[in-house]
Amino acid sequence: MATDDTVLTEDSLTRRPGGLAVALKVPWYRSLWLSSVSDIAVTVDGERVPRDDLRVELGDRAYHVDELKEQWDTLWFIQDRLQVVVPREKPPAEGQEVDVEVAVELRLPYMQIAPMTYVTNHATNRRTLTAR
């Protein structure tokens, strides 16, 4: 199921002290465990953000991208937004337009095609967003 155009929404970009947060929708048609997220990549205004700099928040919990594979008991519900926190020396100004590209790779746990091999879903979405 192609869901690339649904990862980012018009209100996905939020200013934070020391950076910004990009809110992601589940790029699938149903809720998934956080352990299904294999990778997240973010590019801001043409600059790829190092993966080690990214932090992911869901509810009141924060994770490094590499920690997501261990979150088998935490669901990313369709109605929830996964916040990817991106450090920036100078956060965007209120109302500033920012070019954001996000790539999310999911391992679909209920679609096993061989022992320990699962169908993957790659969703990439790029939008110019207004900082709020």
Side-chain angles (χ1 to χ4, degrees):
M1 166 173 258
T3 56
D4 291 358
D5 62 343
T6 63
V7 177
L8 298 172
T9 60
E10 200 172 288
D11 61 348
S12 284
L13 187 64
T14 306
R15 298 172 40 214
R16 294 257 183 118
L20 52 91
V22 181
L24 309 181
K25 291 176 61 178
V26 176
W28 196 240
Y29 66 95
R30 62 194 291 188
S31 301
L32 292 169
W33 290 268
L34 273 185
S35 61
S36 299
V37 180
S38 305
D39 198 15
I40 297 175
V42 178
T43 302
V44 177
D45 288 333
E47 178 187 336
R48 177 95 181 237
V49 180
R51 188 173 188 263
D52 288 341
D53 291 349
L54 299 175
R55 295 294 176 265
V56 178
E57 297 175 353
L58 184 62
D60 59 354
R61 308 252 341 250
Y63 311 93
H64 184 274
V65 176
D66 288 334
E67 294 176 310
L68 296 176
K69 64 185 173 208
E70 303 301 324
Q71 307 312 312
W72 53 268
D73 59 346
T74 303
L75 273 169
W76 180 8
F77 290 102
I78 287 288
Q79 67 272 23
D80 291 339
R81 299 294 176 260
L82 196 68
Q83 299 287 329
V84 180
V85 180
V86 179
R88 305 296 287 172
E89 277 189 38
K90 184 178 177 190
E94 179 81 26
Q96 179 179 340
E97 289 191 340
V98 179
D99 184 56
V100 176
E101 182 175 2
V102 175
V104 180
E105 182 178 291
L106 299 172
R107 177 183 51 82
L108 303 173
Y110 52 87
M111 297 178 82
Q112 188 172 15
I113 56 176
M116 299 306 293
T117 304
Y118 300 87
V119 171
T120 57
N121 183 46
H122 304 274
T124 302
N125 196 194
R126 180 178 177 185
R127 293 182 76 157
T128 299
L129 301 170
T130 303
R132 303 181 192 285

